[in-house]
Amino acid sequence: MSTKAPLPPTGTRDFLPDAVRRRRHVQGIISRCFERHGYEPLETPAMERLEVLLGKYGEEGDKLLFKVLHRGDKLKRVLENSPVQESELTELGLRYDLTVPLARVAANYPEQLTRVFKRYQIQPVWRADRPAKGRFREFFQCDVDILGSLEILAELDIFAAIGEIMAELGLGDFELHINHRKWLSGLLSSLAVPASEHATVLGVLDKLDKVGPQAVLEELREKNVSEALREQMPGLFESFLAGRPQPEAFASRVADQAGGPEAIGQLQTVLAWDGPRGGRIVWNPLLARGLDYYTGLIYELRIPPWPSSFGGGGRYDNLIGMFSARPVPAVGFSFGLERVLDALEERGQFPAFEGHARAVAGVLDPAVIPWALDAVSSLRAQGLSVDLFPEITAVGKLMKWVDRKKIKYVLFMGSNEMETGTVSWKDLQTGESGTVPLSEISSILR
Amino acid sequence: MSTKAPLPPTGTRDFLPDAVRRRRHVQGIISRCFERHGYEPLETPAMERLEVLLGKYGEEGDKLLFKVLHRGDKLKRVLENSPVQESELTELGLRYDLTVPLARVAANYPEQLTRVFKRYQIQPVWRADRPAKGRFREFFQCDVDILGSLEILAELDIFAAIGEIMAELGLGDFELHINHRKWLSGLLSSLAVPASEHATVLGVLDKLDKVGPQAVLEELREKNVSEALREQMPGLFESFLAGRPQPEAFASRVADQAGGPEAIGQLQTVLAWDGPRGGRIVWNPLLARGLDYYTGLIYELRIPPWPSSFGGGGRYDNLIGMFSARPVPAVGFSFGLERVLDALEERGQFPAFEGHARAVAGVLDPAVIPWALDAVSSLRAQGLSVDLFPEITAVGKLMKWVDRKKIKYVLFMGSNEMETGTVSWKDLQTGESGTVPLSEISSILR
C-alpha cells in the first residue's frame, strides 16, 4: 500500500467487501439462530451519557472510555476557564460494552419490555485499549441475555442456542466449560480464605489448566495466601485434574457454606443434561472468569486445542437493576465474534462465492443500452444475480475487471445480440461459451 | 414512562425489538438487491481522523462534527496549557457521512479495489444538528456509489437497482426526478448570470414546484439577481411547468455553453429508457439539489403526494479523488432510510410476525427439563422457530407472557407429557388446543 492518504484511526479497521461478507455470514447465522429461539433484537446508540458509563467498568475501564467533546458556545465558555477540568469538557462517551446499555434500557422502558426479556445485540463497542494482534479499539460484541429469570433453565436455554450456532458455523467440536461462583466462594471459605481475598486467589487458581499446579502454588505463596489453602491445594488439584470431576464428590466440602448446596445442585442439573447439540459440557472446578459482577453459574466456550476462549458469560443478578428501583436477575453470554472469524479463516470454512453475483453483463455498444438494461432486469426478476459493468466496454476490458471478482459467467450484449434477441456467454470456470436466445440464458446461468 | 434512569443522549434512539425488525426488513431488501446487482458491501470505522473530516462539509458541517477527546497523559498535558485550544484536545471525530470515508478508502487501497468499484454502505452517521421531528443526531445512511465510470450507464445501473428496491418495499409508485448540473449552468450562463452567483440563484429556482413562479420571482428580485434573468424567467417557467418538458426543446438555448450539449444528450438518453421497474423518470428542469460538489446528472426520489424526498444523488467527478493523486469519477445515491421507514409505517406495509417465533414452549415441572430441552431442540432442527419461556412455569404465568408477544402457538411440557411422549398445544388465534405425540407436533405448527 503506497499512499499518503490518512489511514483509519489506530486500532480501527476498514472492512473491504470480502471481509464484510465473512462478517455477515457469521452475524447472520448468529442472529437467525437467536431469532429462532425467541431472543429479540435490540440496538442502542453509539453514544451514552457519561453518567451511564462512568464507574461501571472499574478504574481501568473509565480510563479506556472514548469521550465526546462539547461543541460551540458550550465548549468556548469552558475553555475560558483556567484551569480547564476534563469533566467540564464532555458529557457523552462511546459505549464500552452492551451490558450497561441493556441495564439502562431495562430501566427506561419498563412498560414496553416483558418481565422476562430475552434479547440479543450485535453492535460495535469502543475501548481506548493498547492495540495488539486481535485487540482493537472498535470491535463487535455479540451479547445474548435473559433478564428476569432466577432459574437455571435460563442458562440452559442459552446453551441450547450456543450449540446450534456453533454447529451451523461448522465449529461443532466445542466444549462449554462451566463453573459456579457460589461453589468457588464456598470452597475458598471452607479453606479459611477471607472474602476480601477471594478475587485475588481466584485470579491465580483460574490459571491451573494453563500453567499447571506448580506454578499456581508458587504464585499463591508469592501472594502470601493463607497456609491452610496452600496445604490442601495439591490434593484438591489432583482430584480436579483427574478424569472428569463430578460436583457431587465435592458437595460435602461446601455443604455448610452459603450458597454451596445450591451451586452443587445447579452444576449437577446442567451436567445431567446431554448438552447442547454437538458440543460437550465440562465442569472446570477452578474456572473463575475475570468479571466481578458474576453471582452464579459461569461458563466459557472453547475449542480444543485452541487455547483462547470463543466467548463466555454467567449469571449476574445485581447488575441490570443498577438504574432501577428493583433488582433484576440476569444471565448472559457474549460471543467472541472476532475470534470466531479468525477460527473460520484458519480452517478455511467460509462458503465460496458468498454474496457475489452469478454473472457480469457487459454492454458492448451505446446503442443497445435500453435493450441491455431490460434484458438484465428480466434475468434479475427471475431471481438471478447479475452485475452490470457500468461502462460501454470492449471484451478485453470487461475480462480484466471480471478477473478481480469471483464470478462464474460473463454475458456480452452488443448490437448483434440485440438484433437477434440473443445473449453471448462464457463460463469462466469451464471455458465454455456460446450464444443463445435471451429466453434460454437463465437456464444456463442456474 | 416514569423512570429516573438516564435516557439515551438527545437526538439518539434506542431501537426496541419491533423497531429493529422493521429496520432490518428495509435494510435487508436494500442490501440483497444491491448484492444481486453486483454492488459490494463496505464498512468503515465510526471514528475518522479529524484531518479526514474537517473542511469537507463546509463551515456549517465542521461545527456539527462530534469530536473525540484525548485521554490520559496526552489530555493532562494539554490541560496544563493556558489558554487551552480546541484543536489540541482532539484528533478524532465521528463520521459525518459515508462519502468522505469512501474517498479515503479509495485512496488507501488502490491495489485491493477494482478500477471501476461498485459499493453500497449502510451505517450510522453522527451530526450535532438541532434535533427535530425526523432529524436525529445518530441516523443511518444508505449510500450506493460507482467509482471510476464516466458514462451515463453508471447512473442507469443505479436507477435499475432503485426501481427494484422500491418495488420490493411496496413503494413502486415513485418518481425519479432528474436534472443535470451542466444544463443548469448552461442555462444560467445563457441568461448572463455570472458563475459566482449560480449557487445562490439555483437555490431559489429549485423551489419553483413547491412555492410557484410568483414567489420565486420575488425572491430573485430581493436577491438582486440580474434583470435579464428575471425578464426571461416567466416564459421559461411556463414552458417548464407545462406538461412534460423534453430536453430537446431547450437544446438550442445551451448549444454554445460549456457542457450544454452533453447535458441535453445525457438527459435524452435517460428519458429514452423505459425507466426502472415500477417508477417513472421525470425531467425537472430546475431541480438543483443542495450539495456543491455535483458535476453532472442529479436526481431525487419522490412519491407523490408526499412532499419530501426519499433519497437523492448525482454525479460528483471531483470529490473521491481528494485524497488521491488522480481524479476518480463517481456517481452515487443515498436512500433516506428513516423516511422510507416512516412511509411504510404510514401505509401499514410492514409484514406481520416478521422475525417472531412460531411457538412458545413452557416447561411445567423441573423434572422434565432435559426432556423438554431435547423436544424443543428437535423441533428447531426441523426448521421451526420455537421460543422457550426460561422459568418453570404455571400455565397462567406463561399465557400472560405470551400475550405480549406475537405468537401463534403455545406448547406445554409437563410430567404427563414426558411420560406419554406427547406435547399439549394451543392455537392462540383460533382457540383450538390438543395433545399429540411429539412426532406429530411439527405438522401442527407449520
Side-chain angles (χ1 to χ4, degrees):
Chain A
M1 200 186 337
S2 72
T3 166
K4 283 171 202 153
L7 289 167
T10 312
T12 72
R13 295 163 290 172
D14 292 314
F15 298 117
L16 299 189
D18 281 341
V20 177
R21 288 194 182 99
R22 286 194 292 269
R23 300 179 74 80
R24 286 200 190 154
H25 167 74
V26 171
Q27 289 178 21
I29 286 176
I30 292 175
S31 303
R32 286 190 301 272
C33 178
F34 283 138
E35 292 273 343
R36 216 158 56 221
H37 285 241
Y39 291 85
E40 304 198 77
L42 179 73
E43 292 183 2
T44 63
M47 291 186 281
E48 291 280 354
R49 296 176 198 271
L50 281 179
E51 59 190 293
V52 169
L53 300 173
L54 284 171
K56 308 303 189 299
Y57 307 105
E59 209 180 316
E60 199 49 39
D62 283 354
K63 281 188 202 152
L64 301 184
L65 286 177
F66 283 104
K67 296 175 187 170
V68 174
L69 192 63
H70 281 320
R71 294 158 308 281
D73 291 344
K74 200 164 184 179
L75 177 64
K76 213 169 143 190
R77 279 195 302 274
V78 173
L79 294 184
E80 281 161 8
N81 298 343
S82 182
V84 174
Q85 303 295 326
E86 176 177 348
S87 60
E88 296 169 329
L89 288 168
T90 167
E91 60 191 3
L92 298 175
L94 297 182
R95 84 183 144 230
Y96 180 91
D97 74 356
L98 303 178
T99 308
V100 166
L102 174 64
R104 179 184 56 68
V105 163
N108 284 160
Y109 313 94
E111 314 287 312
Q112 283 109 302
L113 305 181
T114 46
R115 178 186 62 81
V116 174
F117 179 49
K118 298 169 69 172
R119 87 89 175 79
Y120 72 99
Q121 186 169 355
I122 306 180
Q123 287 193 286
V125 301
W126 294 270
R127 296 181 187 177
D129 223 334
R130 191 184 299 272
K133 182 173 157 34
R135 188 164 65 223
F136 303 101
R137 291 183 155 185
E138 173 182 75
F139 59 96
F140 278 72
Q141 286 202 332
C142 170
D143 281 17
V144 59
D145 294 86
I146 298 179
L147 309 189
S149 169
L150 279 162
E151 296 175 26
I152 194 77
L153 192 55
E155 278 92 339
L156 296 176
D157 193 42
I158 288 180
F159 292 178
I162 293 172
E164 270 185 44
I165 287 167
M166 294 299 277
E168 206 176 324
L169 286 169
L171 300 172
D173 49 337
F174 67 92
E175 289 179 354
L176 200 55
H177 288 226
I178 66 167
N179 201 16
H180 203 292
R181 274 291 170 95
K182 284 180 180 152
W183 145 257
L184 284 174
S185 60
L187 175 70
L188 294 186
S189 298
S190 82
L191 293 164
V193 179
S196 60
E197 292 177 18
H198 280 194
T200 315
V201 173
L202 286 178
V204 180
L205 294 181
D206 193 33
K207 303 176 194 165
L208 177 64
D209 61 351
K210 286 183 194 102
V211 302
Q214 274 316 105
V216 166
L217 285 171
E218 201 145 314
E219 195 172 339
L220 286 175
R221 201 169 301 127
E222 278 167 26
K223 297 222 156 132
N224 253 329
V225 165
S226 86
E227 208 163 327
L229 173 73
R230 279 184 280 139
E231 271 169 20
Q232 292 193 55
M233 267 302 151
L236 276 169
F237 284 172
E238 212 164 292
S239 48
F240 291 157
L241 292 169
R244 284 218 222 175
Q246 290 303 310
E248 44 274 29
F250 301 89
S252 61
R253 177 172 281 278
V254 294
D256 297 333
Q257 305 294 339
E262 179 202 348
I264 295 290
Q266 292 196 337
L267 287 167
Q268 286 178 304
T269 302
V270 176
L271 292 164
W273 179 42
D274 270 350
R277 185 175 148 199
R280 65 189 192 109
I281 297 185
V282 178
W283 183 39
N284 193 332
L286 292 177
L287 174 77
R289 292 193 55 73
L291 295 167
D292 287 346
Y293 55 61
Y294 289 124
T295 58
L297 203 78
I298 51 180
Y299 26 93
E300 221 168 86
L301 183 61
R302 299 188 187 172
I303 305 178
W306 275 311
S308 56
S309 143
F310 283 72
R315 174 170 287 279
Y316 53 104
D317 285 343
N318 304 322
L319 191 68
I320 290 293
M322 62 188 159
F323 299 117
S324 314
R326 63 196 170 91
V328 180
V331 295
F333 177 81
S334 185
F335 263 104
L337 213 49
E338 313 292 346
R339 188 70 200 88
V340 167
L341 282 154
D342 287 348
L344 293 178
E345 180 81 50
E346 278 181 49
R347 288 189 176 176
Q349 282 186 190
F350 289 110
F353 288 118
E354 174 89 11
H356 287 274
R358 184 75 174 157
V360 167
V363 180
L364 308 180
D365 184 332
V368 310
I369 289 179
W371 174 78
L373 285 171
D374 290 346
V376 167
S377 168
S378 77
L379 291 175
R380 289 172 181 155
Q382 294 169 62
L384 285 162
S385 131
V386 182
D387 194 351
L388 180 81
F389 183 70
E391 289 182 347
I392 306 302
T393 188
V395 171
K397 197 166 74 164
L398 178 61
M399 298 310 272
K400 201 175 146 197
W401 190 66
V402 164
D403 192 45
R404 298 285 298 271
K405 310 188 113 200
K406 291 169 190 133
I407 293 287
K408 186 164 162 64
Y409 291 99
V410 184
L411 309 179
F412 306 98
M413 300 181 167
S415 48
N416 275 346
E417 283 81 1
M418 182 173 75
E419 275 156 31
T420 54
T422 58
V423 181
S424 301
W425 59 274
K426 185 178 168 81
D427 180 331
L428 296 178
Q429 283 164 14
T430 66
E432 282 177 282
S433 64
T435 300
V436 296
L438 190 52
S439 58
E440 287 171 25
I441 186 68
S442 65
S443 60
I444 290 177
L445 299 187
R446 273 177 213 288
Chain B
M1 202 187 332
S2 72
T3 167
K4 284 171 202 151
L7 289 167
T10 312
T12 72
R13 294 163 290 172
D14 293 314
F15 297 117
L16 300 189
D18 281 341
V20 177
R21 288 194 182 98
R22 286 193 293 269
R23 300 178 74 80
R24 285 200 190 154
H25 167 73
V26 171
Q27 289 178 20
I29 286 175
I30 292 175
S31 303
R32 286 190 301 270
C33 178
F34 283 137
E35 292 274 342
R36 217 157 55 220
H37 286 241
Y39 291 85
E40 304 200 77
L42 179 73
E43 292 183 3
T44 63
M47 291 186 281
E48 291 281 355
R49 295 175 197 272
L50 280 180
E51 59 190 293
V52 169
L53 300 172
L54 284 170
K56 309 303 188 299
Y57 307 106
E59 208 181 314
E60 198 50 39
D62 283 354
K63 281 189 201 151
L64 300 184
L65 286 177
F66 282 104
K67 296 176 186 168
V68 174
L69 192 63
H70 281 320
R71 294 158 308 282
D73 290 344
K74 199 164 184 178
L75 177 63
K76 215 170 142 190
R77 280 196 302 275
V78 173
L79 294 185
E80 281 161 7
N81 299 342
S82 182
V84 174
Q85 301 297 325
E86 176 176 349
S87 60
E88 296 169 329
L89 289 168
T90 168
E91 59 190 5
L92 299 175
L94 297 182
R95 84 184 143 228
Y96 180 90
D97 74 357
L98 304 177
T99 307
V100 167
L102 174 64
R104 179 185 56 69
V105 164
N108 284 160
Y109 314 93
E111 313 287 313
Q112 284 109 302
L113 305 180
T114 46
R115 179 186 62 80
V116 174
F117 179 50
K118 298 169 67 171
R119 87 88 175 80
Y120 72 99
Q121 186 169 356
I122 307 179
Q123 288 193 285
V125 301
W126 294 270
R127 296 181 186 176
D129 224 333
R130 190 184 299 272
K133 182 173 157 32
R135 189 164 65 223
F136 304 101
R137 293 183 154 186
E138 173 181 75
F139 60 96
F140 278 71
Q141 285 201 332
C142 171
D143 280 18
V144 60
D145 294 85
I146 298 180
L147 309 189
S149 170
L150 280 161
E151 297 175 25
I152 194 78
L153 192 55
E155 277 92 340
L156 296 176
D157 194 43
I158 288 179
F159 292 177
I162 294 172
E164 270 186 44
I165 287 166
M166 295 299 278
E168 207 176 322
L169 286 169
L171 300 172
D173 48 338
F174 68 91
E175 289 179 355
L176 199 55
H177 289 226
I178 66 168
N179 201 16
H180 203 293
R181 274 290 169 94
K182 287 180 179 150
W183 145 258
L184 284 174
S185 59
L187 175 70
L188 294 186
S189 299
S190 81
L191 294 163
V193 179
S196 59
E197 291 177 19
H198 280 192
T200 315
V201 173
L202 285 178
V204 179
L205 294 181
D206 193 34
K207 302 176 195 165
L208 177 64
D209 60 351
K210 288 186 193 100
V211 303
Q214 273 316 106
V216 166
L217 285 172
E218 200 144 315
E219 195 171 340
L220 286 175
R221 201 169 301 126
E222 278 167 26
K223 297 222 155 131
N224 255 329
V225 166
S226 85
E227 207 163 328
L229 173 73
R230 279 184 280 139
E231 271 169 22
Q232 292 192 57
M233 268 301 151
L236 276 168
F237 285 171
E238 213 164 292
S239 48
F240 290 156
L241 291 169
R244 283 219 222 175
Q246 291 302 311
E248 45 273 29
F250 302 90
S252 61
R253 175 171 283 275
V254 294
D256 298 332
Q257 305 294 339
E262 180 202 347
I264 295 290
Q266 292 196 336
L267 287 167
Q268 286 177 304
T269 302
V270 176
L271 292 164
W273 179 41
D274 270 350
R277 183 176 151 201
R280 64 188 193 111
I281 297 184
V282 179
W283 183 38
N284 193 333
L286 292 177
L287 174 77
R289 293 194 54 73
L291 296 167
D292 286 347
Y293 55 62
Y294 289 124
T295 58
L297 203 78
I298 50 179
Y299 27 92
E300 220 168 87
L301 183 60
R302 299 187 186 173
I303 305 178
W306 275 311
S308 55
S309 143
F310 284 72
R315 174 170 286 278
Y316 54 104
D317 285 343
N318 303 322
L319 191 68
I320 290 293
M322 63 187 159
F323 300 117
S324 314
R326 62 196 170 92
V328 179
V331 295
F333 178 81
S334 185
F335 263 105
L337 213 49
E338 313 292 346
R339 188 69 200 87
V340 167
L341 282 154
D342 287 348
L344 293 178
E345 180 82 51
E346 277 180 49
R347 287 189 176 176
Q349 280 186 193
F350 289 109
F353 289 118
E354 174 89 11
H356 288 274
R358 185 73 174 157
V360 168
V363 180
L364 307 179
D365 183 331
V368 310
I369 288 179
W371 175 78
L373 285 171
D374 291 346
V376 168
S377 169
S378 76
L379 291 174
R380 289 172 181 154
Q382 295 169 62
L384 285 162
S385 131
V386 182
D387 194 352
L388 179 79
F389 183 69
E391 290 183 348
I392 306 303
T393 187
V395 171
K397 196 167 73 167
L398 178 61
M399 298 310 273
K400 200 175 147 197
W401 190 65
V402 164
D403 192 44
R404 297 284 297 272
K405 308 188 116 202
K406 290 167 191 133
I407 294 286
K408 185 163 162 66
Y409 292 99
V410 184
L411 309 179
F412 306 98
M413 299 181 167
S415 48
N416 273 347
E417 282 81 1
M418 181 173 77
E419 276 156 32
T420 53
T422 58
V423 180
S424 301
W425 59 274
K426 186 179 168 79
D427 180 330
L428 296 177
Q429 283 165 14
T430 66
E432 282 178 283
S433 64
T435 300
V436 296
L438 191 52
S439 59
E440 287 172 27
I441 186 69
S442 65
S443 60
I444 290 176
L445 299 188
R446 276 177 211 287

